[in-house]
Amino acid sequence: MSDLRKEQLEVFSTMFIRTDAGGFEECTSAPLWDAFVSGASHDLALAIAQPPSYDDYRHYMNRILTPGIPGSLPLVESLYKDWGGRSAGLQHGQGYYLGESAQHARAVFDSLGIEIPHEYESMPDHLVLLLELFEYLRDNASAQDAADFARHHFDWLVDYRQALATRMENENDASLVEVAQFYRHLLSYVEEFVSSDVLLGEANEIIGDINEDISRSTEEVILHD
């Protein structure tokens, strides 16, 4: 993992889970934050150049990112995808923990011998855990494995950002709306963070399809002759 990606992951983790004032201030200090922002595309870098204050972050965490709070939107993949309960005789729907994405993430953690923190047992597909697992795969697994994981476990962020925008439409708390806009940009940065691996996976699939077509054509020529 490069120093920049390490700093990016550190900031993402701090911003998406609850931390104390000291940890937050360290994360958003000028040297670390400037390095973090430098990895974003130009427009996103401008949008997230100034982090929220600790009080605004804590307020946003309490109202939006804390599970169980009315109107909250926890950063858990299963909540924004079909739950996958049809095999159990249940109708598909959204808004459930421990869906298929969570089961897959847990299986990957188990296969690698990585223990899921106790507080995340019911949400092994929390965004922070997904990012940490993704980085582990980038460093220790094949490029294709990392790309496949990125493609299948971060596609929900588009729907999440839209859900967050909808949630804020009738919100009267101006500071909460402002911080929510910052978080929408921050989540776009997460998508950039994993996008190169997604593109790699798609490119490899295209190459594989082309090679398969070439092979098939060769066989057809031989058979025809």
Side-chain angles (χ1 to χ4, degrees):
M1 185 189 310
S2 68
D3 289 342
L4 174 58
R5 289 191 72 87
K6 183 177 180 180
E7 290 164 348
Q8 289 170 313
L9 189 60
E10 180 180 349
V11 174
F12 287 142
S13 297
T14 300
M15 300 303 294
F16 296 140
I17 60 175
R18 189 178 300 277
T19 190
D20 59 23
F24 183 85
E25 295 300 330
E26 180 180 352
C27 169
T28 56
S29 63
L32 180 55
W33 192 262
D34 289 346
F36 170 71
V37 170
S38 71
S41 61
H42 179 265
D43 289 345
L44 277 181
L46 293 176
I48 63 172
Q50 183 63 42
S53 68
Y54 176 70
D55 287 342
D56 285 343
Y57 151 83
R58 184 176 60 181
H59 182 50
Y60 186 83
M61 182 67 62
N62 291 338
R63 289 281 305 277
I64 304 300
L65 298 185
T66 300
I69 302 299
S72 67
L73 293 171
L75 284 163
V76 180
E77 182 182 9
S78 290
L79 299 178
Y80 309 96
K81 285 187 171 180
D82 283 343
W83 182 61
R86 182 165 296 174
S87 61
L90 302 175
Q91 185 177 5
H92 271 237
Q94 291 181 325
Y96 298 91
Y97 289 96
L98 294 176
E100 290 180 340
S101 58
Q103 300 300 335
H104 180 258
R106 176 172 288 168
V108 176
F109 277 118
D110 289 345
S111 70
L112 296 172
I114 301 174
E115 185 176 352
I116 298 171
H118 175 72
E119 60 270 29
Y120 291 96
E121 275 295 326
S122 64
M123 42 186 175
D125 53 343
H126 187 283
L127 179 57
V128 169
L129 295 190
L130 294 177
L131 284 168
E132 291 178 351
L133 183 52
F134 168 62
E135 280 302 292
Y136 183 90
L137 293 173
R138 289 185 86 252
D139 289 342
N140 298 281
S142 71
Q144 189 62 47
D145 284 343
D148 289 343
F149 184 87
R151 182 173 55 183
H152 293 300
H153 282 283
F154 296 99
D155 56 339
W156 59 282
L157 291 177
V158 174
D159 293 332
Y160 181 91
R161 287 190 290 107
Q162 182 56 53
L164 182 56
T166 301
R167 165 68 177 79
M168 290 297 135
E169 287 178 355
N170 298 312
E171 177 58 58
N172 296 320
D173 187 332
S175 65
L176 197 66
V177 173
E178 182 178 353
V179 178
Q181 182 63 13
F182 169 86
Y183 268 85
R184 289 182 68 200
H185 293 308
L186 197 61
L187 290 166
S188 293
Y189 190 4
V190 172
E191 291 176 291
E192 287 188 353
F193 184 74
V194 302
S195 64
S196 60
D197 292 84
V198 173
L199 293 173
L200 173 63
E202 293 175 349
N204 286 341
E205 284 194 357
I206 292 172
I207 293 171
D209 290 342
I210 292 173
N211 289 338
E212 183 178 348
D213 289 341
I214 292 173
S215 176
R216 185 183 303 114
S217 298
T218 302
E219 291 173 1
E220 289 173 352
V221 169
I222 294 173
L223 289 173
H224 179 71
D225 292 342

